[in-house]
Each structure stands twice: as structure tokens, then as C-alpha cells.
Amino acid sequence: MLKKKELSINMGPQHPATHGVLRLVLELDGETVVKCTPHVGYLHRGTEKLGENRTYPMALPLTDRLDYVSSMSNNIGYCVAVERLLGIEAPARAKYIRTIMAELTRIANHIVWIATHALDIGAMTVFLYSMRDREWILDLYEMVCGARLTVTYPRIGGVRCDIDQEFMDSCYKFIEDFPKRIEEYETLIDQNRIWLQRTVGVGIISAADAINWGLTGPTLRGSGVAYDVRKAAPYDAYDQIDFEVPVGKNCDVYDRYRCRMDEFRQSISIIKQCLDKLPDGLVLASEAPPYDMPIGKPRVMPGHPMGEILPGELVEEKVPFDELYSATEVPKGELGFYFVNDGTARPYRMRIRAPSFVHASVLPKLCEGSLVADVIANIGTIDIVLGECDR
Amino acid sequence: MDISSFYGFLGTDTTDFILRMIIMVAKIAVVIVIALLHVAYSTWFERKIIGHMQIRLGPMRVGYHGLLQPFADFVKLFFKEDIIPSSGDRPVFQLAPMIALFATISSLAVIPFFNDFVIAKNMNVGLLYLFAMSSLSAYGIILAGWSSNSKYAFLGGLRSSAQVISYEIALALSLVGIMVLSGSLNLVEIIEAQQKHWYGMYVVVQFPAYILFLICAFAETNRTPFDLPEAESELVAGYFVEYSGMRFSLFFMAEYIAMIIMSCIAVTCFWGGWTLPPVVMKALPFLAVVPGLVWFLLKVYCHLFLFYWVRATVPRFRYDHLMSLGWKVLIPLALANIVITSIVKFLF
Amino acid sequence: MTPRAIAELIQSKFKPEVAEITEFGDQVSVLVNKTRILEIMSFLRNSSELYFDYLTDLCGVDYQGRKNERFEVVYHLRSILHNHCIRIKAAIPEKDCKIDSVVRIWAGANWHERECFDMYGISFTGHPDFRRILMPDDWEGHPLRKDYPLKSDLGEAEWKGFKEVLETVERNKKYEVR
């Protein structure tokens, strides 16, 4: 008797298509994936533990290293969460600047996404076209804060420094030019028959399943669920901006691709509105904690339930714990920060709800029963960055 | 096969025989050297073409506009450590790249580069020989995938064998129309047959067959969009994932020579080889001073450019789509082409 | 529904289970007994007026010496349909460090629960694929516990896998090109 045995291959952690150090153990029957087991944790740096041992402003640079493709969004997510926790209100101008930055980051992230996704599927030229355009956004970052990748530009209570006219001009020019660039990508892949064959009907996850698995961002919206934190629980200037949330309907890789392409255009419109409406004023709230906020001696916020803070490393008494979960819509999905505050300047518990972590967990569902080539398309479509996944 | 013509050079006179032998070896050496130079510069050409298509410059550092880059690459590959997997099948592992390279290089023997310049003259099974050799080179790929004892290489080898077998059929069938029209398998005779018509190129009357042939040629040479055996995003590098240094470059050369051979076949069978159409020659008689080799190479370079252009443009096929395209579309179309060509040929 | 109203609804439905309702800003947490967690969660998931179809987050917290029960598992629930959310917490004593898994209710809880186990050592009964996720399989200890040091003075001996790595490096030294 001949015995049938699945071929198990180890895709990653060093593999060109796994976007970092994701490891998938695939069991193959011919070209069909029978079982897919993701292994993560190769990039685990204990960000949550580190955050618990730093003051709030000091933990801010850690968030850069989560999703290093869109570090600005992570910073903003963190700052929004800490502001909500400490009861600080950022000035209006800072809110608008942050919104511009968040949307620029969304474009930059989606550019990297379309680049790698297309490269994985084999369309090489899109990769280089999009990298050219990402450069412009990185230059814009450099213009406002001097850094390109790990920016740490937003601050708790605002942003570090004001934007100038040069940035505004460049930004206006960018939003004017970028729609043409999007069309360039679309010309290359949008109606390409091979691209359609590779993406339409691949990696289907129904709306109910997508919600059940906790997917967020364009990955969820591709299944037709119009859930967007910017709409559901607005932060920064999103409640004063008019924009749409693009949704797909076929729940497949192609619809998720279309969603992200439409988000490009929405982001451009948001940036344009913000630039037009940009109010004058301060960019950093006066009650913002200083960057060298000493451990155990935070500034006392007037009227804040935190009250007087005891000096020293640990408060041994049983004080009430403040808990706060704050979500922001980063390009990959919902980035949540859950803080437990015991009254010191350090979070007692800092939990990061990373969209990539949740998205990576859905891979077995997407991949099992499909072909090896679809695994690549599926890894691309959920848009994961392992720095964020492993924290 | 006409044995006497193949061994015709064995004259009775010994000095004559030795002279012919020397000429033969010289011819082979010249062709191989030129072919390898073409391989070197087609990599440069490809990198430049794709570079400019992708808004970058391609190699710029080694020599003027990177002109010496191929040699730098060669020196690098030559001095790289040759790693053989300890669990692999050593003799087969060493043999596989040579099979791949020699099978493709020997295809050059029947290609007529210009008027009367063919290594194996009067080879009256020229096209069949080309098919045989391109099938043979698939063995190199399959054996490489098998002997590496790596799962990625193995999958690449499996994909390749299935792909080559499927597309070989469509490739051969797409050229049957040419055989029917010219009444010969000898490539020189095919070119001469094309000259009898005012248009001078079978691509005019066999356009669908030409498209089929091109598609199959892409698949046969494992080029994008049919580069599944070496799909770097799925199988890392496919069948040659375990190869390094010179052995890797043998595969690399084999792939590029195969590309050149496929372009040569397309030029010979569809574009009239080294000739220009009689209608053009009549209109512009001064073109006769240009040697035939120039036209031949120009046509070949255009085809190579097409290979690169497609690579920069389209994504990669999925395995099942590739198979269904080969079996359900290309083969029936090629068969239909044969039928129609035969009927037309019979009627007129 | 406002979070407060949701909390009160839960309290009225599961009176003896709800230990505490706390509020911060506009967010409300409901501390419940871990014994009937599955029941409470199914109710929250399936009740038509609450319909918490989306488990935003699941994590653990270590309150060593700060609360009576050392651990808490925190569930952040959101209803995409009604656009309301609630935080459910379940206290877990150190001695009986386990709780029922909610993977059957929300598939997305799968990796969160594994991470919670990895970081705090809280077991989830009924989990389909229960093992460590971020740390290596043979890791000792649970890093996010408050008694786990931030920086170890053990150095290289901290993880025994590290010794293996060093040995491999030593063994492969002979292949180095000098």
C-alpha cells in the first residue's frame, strides 16, 4: 500500500514574502495548503513591559518601533490615549497637524503595502514606482521633525514643533500630484488579468467571520463592514472633517486592495481639508507633561482624579486604579492602548492592542484549502508588520 | 534523417577532413563565445531596460553606464564558494546545471545566423532537434530540484516539470503551421520558403501561431509571468535555491541562452531570419548592403526586449491558472491553427 | 446604549456575579466572577440589544499585592452594530490561575488568550491550541508578571536556549574564513 503524506514546509522566518519574521508551517498536499500554523514572536522586544517601567513621555519612542512603517500613527495613537488618561486637551492646531500627519502616514503605509503586495504577486514595477512616492512623504516628515522613519513627532498634549509654510507648500503639491501616481499604480495592476486572477475570489472571509476574528481596518472593510474608529469614536480633528469610509463587498483580496486604493483618495481629501482649515495657535498644550517627567512625581493635573502623587518608585497602598482603553485608526486597523494607572507617572499596565497581531491570527482561516501562491497573496492582503505583531 | 548529409564533411582526403574539422571547431567556438557574450550583455541589457522602466538607472558603477557589470558579476560568481548540501545527491547535484546549460547551448547548432552560417548545415530535422534540446534542459531543472534535497527546490522542480511538459506540446503545435507552409523542418529552408512570398515573413499569415509561440516561449524559459518554478516570493528561488557560485551561474546562463534561442526560433520561423521581405528590398534596394546578420540580431534583440518588457509589467500566474491556460486554451488554439493552415494550404 | 446602562443591564441579569462597577471618563468596567464568564459572555454576544459581536481586546493585568485577587483578565467588547462598548474584567486568584476560554464565542480571542497565558501564566480551559505565542516554547516564567525582573542579572543564563546558540557558534567557528 502506498502511504500518503503531506509535505510540510517551513515558510519563514527568513522568507522574502513573509514581511519580516513571520514563520508559517504549511502542510501541503501537492500545491494545496492543508494546514497552516503561524508562529510569531521572533521580534518580541517586550514593549509592554518596557512601557510599564517608563514614564508616559519616555514610553513614547517605544511606539515608533511597533509598526515601523507607520510610526507617526502609532505615536498619535499613544498620545491620544495618554491625553485621555491624564485629561489633557491638545490645542486645535496640534489636532489638525496630527490629522494631516496621520493621513500622510496612512498614504505612506498603503504605499508600502501596495509595493510589497504587488511584488509578492510578481508585479515588480509597482514596487519601485511606489517607493519613489513614499520618498516624498518621508521628506515631508523630515521637514517637520528631522526624522524620516521613527519620528516621535507628536507629543502628549500636541506636537513637538509647528509646521511652516515650506511644509504647507510641499504638502499641497503632494496632494495635487499624488492622484496621478495612484492612477499609475492602477494602470499597472488594476485591470491586469493576471492580477485579477490572483486576487478575485482569493482569501475570502465573510463579514460575520471578519468581525468574529476581530479584524479591523481595510482588512475588515474589504468584507463590507464600515467600521472605522475615525467615525465610530472620533479623535483629533476627524469629527470636523468630511470623509467617506470605503468598503468592499466581495470579501476577497481584490476588494481589500480596492479599499486601500480608495483610502488613498480619502486621505488626500482629508489632508486637503485640514490644510485649508488649519487654525492658528499653540501646538503644545500648556499642561503637557515635560519630556523628562520624573518617575513617581508627575505634574499634578488640576481637577484630575489622580490628585497628589506620592514620590518614590511604588505606591504600596491600595489606591483606585484608573483604566482607559483608547483606540485610533492606524493604517493597518484599530490600534488600541489600554492603560491601568495607579497614580504614578508610569502606567501600571500598558497594553497594546496591535492590529497586525489579530490579523496574523486569521491567516490559517484564510490559507487552509487554498494554494501556496494564495498564501502569499493572503499574507499581503492582511497587511501585517511583525514589529507590531510581536511588540 | 539524411545521414550522408550530416556526416558529409567526412571527406576521403585526410587533410581535407582535418581542415574541415578545424573550421567546424572554430565555428562552434565563435558561436559559443558570441552566445556567451550575448548572455553577459543580455543581463546588462535587461537590468538597464527594467531599470529605466522602473524609474531607476540600473547598473552604473562598473564601467561606463555599468558596461563592465556582467564581467564583475561573472568574477564574483566564479570566486564564490561552491556549496553542496550534505544531504543532497552529490553527483546529480553537480550534473544538473551542466545538463541544463549543455542542452540549451547545443540548440545553437541548428540556428542559421546569416546566409549559410549554420554549424550543423543541412540538418533537415532542425525544428525537432530544437524541441528535443529544450525538453532535455528541463531535466537539468528537475534533477536540480530533486538532488538539492530541499523542499523549496523540490516544489520548484515539480512545478517546472509539469509546466515544461504542458507548454512543450503547445510550443511544438504552434510551429506545425510553419512546417505545413514551408514543407520543411530545416530552418534554412524555412527562411528560404518565406522569401518566396512578397511579405517574406510568416508572421503575416501565421500571426495567431506567433502569439501562441511567444506565450509558450515565455513559459518554456521560465520567464515572468510564468516564472513559477523560481517564484522568489513563494519558493524563495525554486529549483536552484541550494546552488551557489559557478553552478548557479550555469543555470543563469542556461536561462538566458534559452531566451536567446527562443528569440532566434521566433525570428527564423516567423520573421524571416536574416532576410528582409522582398517587398521591402524592392522598395529600398540600398538595404542590400547591410549584412544579414545585422537584421537577424536586430530582430533577436527586439524579442529579448519583449521578454524584459513583459517582466517589468505583469504579475505572476498562479499554478492552476497556468495549467488551465496551457491545456485548455493554448493547445486547442494551436490545434485549430494547424487545421485551418492545412485547409488553406490544401485549397490554394 | 451608554456604557453605564449596559453595566446595569449586566448587573440586573447576573446579580451575584458582578462584583464591582467602576467608571473612568466615559468608560465603564464591570468586574465579574470568573466562574460564569462563558455564560455572561454568550449573553453579551447574543443578546439583540447588546450584540457585542466584536472582541476588541483581551489581556491580563497583574495586581500583585495591590488587589485581593492577583490577576485580572480584561475583555474589551464593542458592538459594531450599535456602536457601544464595555469593559468586562474577571478576577483570577493566583492559586486557581485559570478561566474558561471565550474562543468559541469570538474566534479572535485565540491569540489574545495565548498571549495572556504567555505573559501572565493564566490558563484558559477549552482553548483549541493552547501554547506560548511570543516567547520561545521552553521559556521559564511569565514576563509581564510584576515579580518578573525587567532586567536579569543572570545574563546569558537567563534562557537556556541562549547557551545552545553559543555552543553552535563555538562549533561553527572552524568554518570561519580568516
Side-chain angles (χ1 to χ4, degrees):
Chain A
M1 272 292 279
L2 283 171
K3 255 204 244 162
K4 199 175 134 187
K5 199 180 147 208
E6 273 88 28
L7 175 75
S8 76
I9 65 167
N10 192 14
M11 192 178 261
Q14 292 94 13
H15 187 279
T18 52
H19 294 209
V21 282
L22 174 66
R23 174 176 164 223
L24 297 175
V25 178
L26 302 176
E27 282 179 19
L28 303 180
D29 176 15
E31 286 266 329
T32 317
V33 179
V34 179
K35 193 165 183 291
C36 163
T37 320
H39 292 264
V40 295
Y42 291 92
L43 215 56
H44 181 59
R45 293 149 298 177
T47 308
E48 291 176 6
K49 183 89 177 169
L50 288 170
E52 282 164 24
N53 289 280
R54 275 164 174 68
T55 59
Y56 287 109
M58 277 167 77
L60 175 60
L62 295 176
T63 58
D64 281 320
R65 277 82 185 161
L66 292 174
D67 175 1
Y68 35 77
V69 177
S70 47
S71 56
M72 194 80 89
S73 289
N74 299 335
N75 291 157
I76 293 170
Y78 178 81
C79 291
V80 167
V82 177
E83 281 165 20
R84 281 177 181 163
L85 181 72
L86 302 184
I88 302 169
E89 176 83 16
R93 186 173 172 86
K95 283 186 172 183
Y96 273 86
I97 294 175
R98 277 199 222 163
T99 311
I100 295 171
M101 289 304 164
E103 293 307 317
L104 279 177
T105 311
R106 194 177 312 280
I107 294 175
N109 175 78
H110 286 357
I111 285 176
V112 175
W113 168 80
I114 185 74
T116 50
H117 189 39
L119 189 65
D120 288 347
I121 291 186
M124 188 177 154
T125 306
V126 184
F127 177 80
L128 288 134
Y129 273 45
S130 30
M131 282 301 156
R132 166 196 65 182
D133 303 335
R134 180 168 177 257
E135 206 64 12
W136 196 338
I137 298 178
L138 296 186
D139 287 345
L140 287 172
Y141 286 175
E142 201 176 356
M143 229 178 260
V144 290
C145 65
R148 288 161 67 84
L149 199 65
T150 48
V151 287
T152 323
Y153 171 64
R155 286 284 178 277
I156 299 161
V159 293
R160 194 175 84 210
C161 41
D162 206 350
I163 57 174
D164 54 8
Q165 194 56 43
E166 193 193 349
F167 173 84
M168 298 269 283
D169 294 342
S170 186
C171 204
Y172 266 121
K173 196 157 162 17
F174 175 74
I175 55 175
E176 200 178 295
D177 273 23
F178 193 63
K180 284 176 232 150
R181 308 288 175 88
I182 306 172
E183 274 162 30
E184 265 178 16
Y185 313 151
E186 285 180 343
T187 321
L188 273 165
I189 50 181
D190 204 29
Q191 295 302 320
N192 189 311
R193 288 177 66 123
I194 302 174
W195 178 268
L196 291 176
Q197 281 181 342
R198 289 293 303 272
T199 54
V200 174
V202 171
I204 292 179
I205 184 159
S206 69
D209 274 345
I211 295 173
N212 198 21
W213 277 93
L215 302 185
T216 45
T219 319
L220 173 68
R221 293 195 282 271
S223 296
V225 184
Y227 171 66
D228 189 321
V229 183
R230 293 174 293 173
K231 287 277 190 200
Y235 53 97
D236 282 351
Y238 285 110
D239 47 350
Q240 293 149 47
I241 301 291
D242 183 37
F243 66 100
E244 280 166 28
V245 178
V247 289
K249 58 174 186 286
N250 296 329
C251 323
D252 56 7
V253 174
Y254 184 76
D255 273 32
R256 292 191 274 271
Y257 150 78
R258 279 299 341 156
C259 268
R260 291 191 173 98
M261 292 312 255
D262 292 340
E263 280 194 8
F264 274 138
R265 300 197 165 89
Q266 291 302 325
S267 292
I268 287 167
S269 129
I270 295 173
I271 295 171
K272 188 160 169 35
Q273 290 176 53
C274 284
L275 284 172
D276 290 342
K277 284 190 192 170
L278 192 66
D280 288 331
L282 289 172
V283 290
L284 195 59
S286 52
E287 66 264 39
Y291 199 69
D292 54 351
M293 183 181 190
I295 295 172
K297 280 185 185 174
R299 272 168 82 135
V300 180
M301 307 311 149
H304 188 260
M306 209 152 82
E308 192 70 45
I309 301 305
L310 296 164
E313 287 281 302
L314 266 177
V315 190
E316 291 302 335
E317 290 164 47
K318 287 179 185 173
V319 292
F321 289 93
D322 299 333
E323 291 165 79
L324 181 117
Y325 176 83
S326 156
T328 48
E329 182 79 14
V330 295
K332 296 192 164 57
E334 175 178 339
L335 176 72
F337 284 94
Y338 170 58
F339 288 113
V340 176
N341 184 295
D342 62 347
T344 58
R346 301 188 297 193
Y348 186 76
R349 169 82 169 101
M350 177 171 117
R351 157 77 178 169
I352 301 159
R353 188 258 183 219
S356 294
F357 184 70
V358 184
H359 290 176
S361 74
V362 83
L363 268 176
K365 177 159 177 58
L366 291 175
C367 294
E368 279 167 18
S370 63
L371 300 172
V372 183
D374 293 338
V375 174
I376 307 302
N378 285 329
I379 295 173
T381 191
I382 56 172
D383 192 12
I384 51 172
V385 155
L386 271 294
E388 186 183 54
C389 180
D390 298 346
R391 277 151 294 155
Chain B
M1 182 170 164
D2 187 354
I3 300 286
S4 65
S5 74
F6 194 65
Y7 294 106
F9 62 83
L10 288 171
T12 43
D13 190 358
T14 321
T15 41
D16 191 37
F17 167 69
I18 289 169
L19 197 69
R20 279 160 186 272
M21 203 63 177
I22 288 170
I23 291 171
M24 196 66 173
V25 169
K27 252 183 173 179
I28 292 173
V30 166
V31 167
I32 287 181
V33 166
I34 291 179
L36 289 181
L37 268 176
H38 268 81
V39 168
Y41 277 93
S42 63
T43 63
W44 177 84
F45 190 45
E46 169 166 25
R47 290 168 73 175
K48 275 291 181 193
I49 295 283
I50 294 189
H52 282 277
M53 281 179 181
Q54 295 172 340
I55 49 165
R56 56 195 172 90
L57 293 170
M60 286 298 280
R61 294 301 169 98
V62 192
Y64 178 71
H65 278 256
L67 267 173
L68 295 175
Q69 186 69 40
F71 297 104
D73 286 346
F74 176 79
V75 169
K76 185 200 83 173
L77 284 170
F78 193 79
F79 288 106
K80 276 235 159 146
E81 188 186 352
D82 178 30
I83 299 164
I84 299 175
S86 54
S87 55
D89 189 336
R90 204 182 167 94
V92 181
F93 187 84
Q94 287 168 330
L95 193 64
M98 297 183 197
I99 295 177
L101 182 66
F102 284 105
T104 40
I105 273 197
S106 41
S107 303
L108 289 168
V110 291
I111 306 279
F113 296 102
F114 54 91
N115 207 357
D116 274 354
F117 190 89
V118 197
I119 297 173
K121 221 181 270 181
N122 303 330
M123 173 83 129
N124 57 6
V125 286
L127 270 180
L128 269 186
Y129 173 82
L130 283 174
F131 295 148
M133 283 302 142
S134 79
S135 310
L136 197 59
S137 71
Y139 276 100
I141 292 171
I142 297 160
L143 289 178
W146 176 258
S147 64
S148 300
N149 201 8
S150 148
K151 285 166 180 171
Y152 282 112
F154 179 60
L155 265 181
L158 280 186
R159 279 183 173 190
S160 178
S161 52
Q163 180 178 326
V164 169
I165 289 168
S166 319
Y167 280 76
E168 189 90 341
I169 300 167
L171 182 84
L173 290 179
S174 68
L175 288 178
V176 170
I178 300 290
M179 300 173 197
V180 169
L181 287 178
S182 63
S184 171
L185 285 173
N186 185 330
L187 291 165
V188 180
E189 282 171 26
I190 290 175
I191 292 172
E192 282 161 0
Q194 292 180 58
Q195 280 290 303
K196 287 175 195 149
H197 304 280
W198 61 268
Y199 45 82
M201 288 173 174
Y202 277 149
V203 68
V204 180
V205 285
Q206 284 284 308
F207 190 71
Y210 174 62
I211 298 297
L212 287 179
F213 174 82
L214 273 187
I215 296 172
C216 297
F218 277 88
E220 194 70 11
T221 49
N222 296 333
R223 294 287 302 182
T224 317
F226 304 98
D227 58 343
L228 292 106
E230 51 198 73
E232 77 267 5
S233 60
E234 294 154 31
L235 302 182
V236 192
Y239 57 87
F240 56 70
V241 69
E242 299 292 344
Y243 283 86
S244 62
M246 211 48 216
R247 288 185 208 287
F248 163 75
S249 73
L250 291 185
F251 274 119
F252 198 70
M253 282 194 272
E255 185 182 321
Y256 278 81
I257 292 182
M259 238 158 69
I260 294 172
I261 299 270
M262 283 298 164
S263 307
C264 289
I265 299 175
V267 168
T268 315
C269 292
F270 291 99
W271 291 91
W274 68 84
T275 62
L276 283 184
V279 61
V280 176
M281 292 304 274
K282 210 173 279 174
L284 306 161
F286 60 88
L287 284 179
V289 296
V290 183
L293 185 65
V294 172
W295 300 124
F296 183 81
L297 288 180
L298 266 181
K299 289 172 187 172
V300 169
Y301 295 160
C302 288
H303 280 85
L304 285 178
F305 177 77
L306 189 72
F307 273 98
Y308 307 147
W309 189 7
V310 169
R311 183 177 166 203
T313 312
V314 294
R316 186 178 302 117
F317 264 103
R318 202 172 75 187
Y319 188 69
D320 54 334
H321 296 145
L322 173 96
M323 281 297 154
S324 63
L325 177 75
W327 288 98
K328 293 183 191 159
V329 181
L330 296 182
I331 292 178
L333 280 178
L335 286 171
N337 180 58
I338 296 169
V339 172
I340 294 168
T341 313
S342 312
I343 292 172
V344 172
K345 167 104 175 166
F346 178 73
L347 291 179
F348 302 103
Chain C
M1 280 170 99
T2 61
R4 187 83 220 173
I6 296 166
E8 272 156 14
L9 185 75
I10 299 168
Q11 199 171 28
S12 66
K13 187 89 183 167
F14 300 94
K15 184 76 186 157
E17 306 299 327
V18 176
E20 192 188 6
I21 295 176
T22 49
E23 234 177 304
F24 179 81
D26 56 350
Q27 300 188 356
V28 175
S29 343
V30 182
L31 184 68
V32 299
N33 235 325
K34 69 162 190 168
T35 43
R36 284 175 68 197
I37 189 79
L38 260 183
E39 220 172 301
I40 297 169
M41 288 304 182
S42 327
F43 166 72
L44 291 173
R45 169 72 179 79
N46 298 324
S47 137
S48 60
E49 53 181 331
L50 297 178
Y51 200 66
F52 285 108
D53 48 357
Y54 169 39
L55 176 81
T56 314
D57 193 17
L58 186 158
C59 67
V61 186
D62 179 5
Y63 291 106
Q64 189 190 26
R66 311 287 288 268
K67 283 195 178 179
N68 295 332
E69 314 284 15
R70 179 167 177 187
F71 298 109
E72 266 178 19
V73 173
V74 185
Y75 304 84
H76 288 96
L77 306 179
R78 172 175 271 281
S79 165
I80 287 180
L81 185 67
H82 301 301
N83 196 15
H84 56 214
C85 41
I86 190 83
R87 180 185 305 123
I88 307 289
K89 301 191 289 180
I92 292 167
E94 197 175 356
K95 289 193 191 75
D96 181 29
C97 205
K98 59 174 190 269
I99 188 167
D100 286 330
S101 160
V102 294
V103 176
R104 264 171 293 170
I105 307 171
W106 295 284
N110 191 323
W111 280 26
H112 288 312
E113 285 182 351
R114 279 174 66 189
E115 195 199 345
C116 190
F117 164 70
D118 199 355
M119 294 297 156
Y120 290 97
I122 302 168
S123 303
F124 290 83
T125 42
H127 189 284
D129 180 24
F130 201 60
R131 55 201 163 86
R132 280 184 181 272
I133 184 161
L134 293 178
M135 306 303 281
D137 285 339
D138 54 350
W139 191 266
E140 281 164 22
H142 300 282
L144 275 182
R145 287 188 173 190
K146 286 287 170 188
D147 53 3
Y148 191 92
L150 179 66
K151 187 171 183 292
S152 159
D153 48 3
L154 297 171
E156 289 162 4
E158 190 182 8
W159 177 45
K160 62 182 180 218
F162 192 72
K163 221 172 135 196
E164 234 170 82
V165 173
L166 288 180
E167 278 165 13
T168 319
V169 169
E170 205 54 46
R171 222 177 26 249
N172 290 344
K173 274 239 166 94
K174 61 179 174 199
Y175 297 115
E176 263 178 30
V177 183
R178 265 174 288 270

